[in-house]
Amino acid sequence: MVNAHLNERRHVFCLFLDFSKAFDTLKHSEIVDSLQRSGIRGKTLNWLEKYLSDRKLTVKIKDTFYDLKKVENGVPQGSILGPLLYIIYINSIFSVPKYADLFMYADDTVLVVAHEDLQIAERLLQKDYNRIQKFYHDSSISENQAKTKLLHIRSPHLQFLTEPKILSHSFDCLHVSIADTCHCKAVETVDEHVYLGIVVDVVSETNVCPVAGLTLDEAAAFLAGVRARRAADRR
């Protein structure tokens, strides 16, 4: 898709979104509502509701267990159903963007917008990013704005005068009004970004897989490191 846009001399913006503990912030009642909206009824819905309800956690330090605490948010970590429940909960996000293509793998999300005019591409992406942010605010999901990154992919022969600027608006800015005096910070623009283990950079011809040319053991070690970093980011 990106190469097709580049062949048409378009600027391609990829906005990689990062979320803070996305699996831990979902309210159980809202997960059940999303299951019902997806057509899950009867005994199956009742079973899933009981699966989520009355869950408790404790902490053990050496031989000491601390008081049990009731868990009312989040999908069960390490379970097979956890990612599936998250995907069902978040499924309606695909109807949110009007101009961008949206790609997701679990909570790894990217918005892609392309246009011949850099300013138009920037404006379309900003509109859809605002919509996505409002959707996540309303869905009790918190964005990690410091780790959200913007990548501007273009042909090396395509000239432009100004760097793109996409603002990451605050909750009040989005839900009250986006004023001309908005002081929200811009998303950091980077030259490369690792998405699902693949290095994506600003010139499509140099997009490479980081495990290419490695032995099986070296590739396995690299991918294990990627998974470990992603797991640490979600804690």
Side-chain angles (χ1 to χ4, degrees):
M1 181 185 73
V2 171
N3 285 336
H5 287 311
L6 293 175
N7 289 338
E8 297 296 326
R9 299 184 62 79
R10 297 184 183 122
H11 296 270
V12 182
F13 288 159
C14 298
L15 185 63
F16 298 93
L17 307 179
D18 190 277
F19 303 101
S20 301
K21 302 180 180 179
F23 286 15
D24 299 333
T25 57
L26 311 184
K27 296 179 180 178
H28 291 169
S29 59
E30 294 180 0
I31 294 174
V32 173
D33 289 342
S34 69
L35 292 170
Q36 195 166 17
R37 289 194 301 270
S38 299
I40 298 174
R41 304 282 193 277
K43 292 182 178 179
T44 303
L45 182 63
N46 292 337
W47 182 87
L48 288 168
E49 187 171 7
K50 290 181 180 179
Y51 172 73
L52 291 170
S53 63
D54 295 325
R55 303 187 72 90
K56 296 180 175 65
L57 291 177
T58 184
V59 175
K60 178 184 177 183
I61 299 179
K62 294 185 178 180
D63 295 327
T64 302
F65 285 90
Y66 288 81
D67 294 340
L68 288 170
K69 298 294 183 180
K70 188 175 182 180
V71 180
E72 298 181 349
N73 296 331
V75 296
Q77 293 293 308
S79 66
I80 295 175
L81 280 177
L84 179 60
L85 291 172
Y86 176 84
I87 290 169
I88 294 174
Y89 179 85
I90 209 72
N91 187 56
S92 58
I93 191 176
F94 288 96
S95 63
V96 175
K98 291 187 177 180
Y99 310 105
D101 291 306
L102 185 148
F103 301 93
M104 288 186 66
Y105 182 82
D107 61 335
D108 290 316
T109 307
V110 57
L111 288 172
V112 180
V113 165
H115 200 279
E116 296 89 346
D117 188 303
L118 184 143
Q119 280 72 36
I120 293 177
E122 180 181 334
R123 186 165 64 249
L124 297 180
L125 179 58
Q126 184 69 69
K127 289 181 178 180
D128 274 350
Y129 183 34
N130 295 348
R131 294 186 180 96
I132 292 292
Q133 283 190 301
K134 288 187 68 174
F135 174 88
Y136 279 118
H137 290 161
D138 297 340
S139 301
S140 304
I141 297 175
S142 176
E143 181 187 3
N144 187 337
Q145 296 179 342
K147 292 186 178 181
T148 293
K149 306 297 181 184
L150 176 66
L151 194 69
H152 177 199
I153 305 175
R154 69 276 184 184
S155 164
H157 306 293
L158 194 60
Q159 302 298 316
F160 58 97
L161 299 178
T162 59
E163 290 291 339
K165 183 179 180 181
I166 300 296
L167 296 179
S168 183
H169 290 292
S170 66
F171 180 92
D172 290 339
C173 202
L174 286 171
H175 287 74
V176 180
S177 65
I178 299 178
D180 294 335
T181 56
C182 167
H183 298 295
C184 296
K185 294 183 178 179
V187 175
E188 181 185 2
T189 301
V190 295
D191 290 333
E192 67 177 33
H193 186 77
V194 179
Y195 182 68
L196 302 179
I198 302 297
V199 177
V200 185
D201 62 28
V202 296
V203 181
S204 66
E205 289 82 2
T206 62
N207 293 347
V208 296
C209 174
V211 299
L214 300 182
T215 66
L216 289 177
D217 289 342
E218 290 170 338
F222 174 85
L223 293 175
V226 171
R227 287 192 293 268
R229 288 192 296 274
R230 290 178 60 194
D233 289 341
R234 288 171 180 159
R235 293 193 186 105

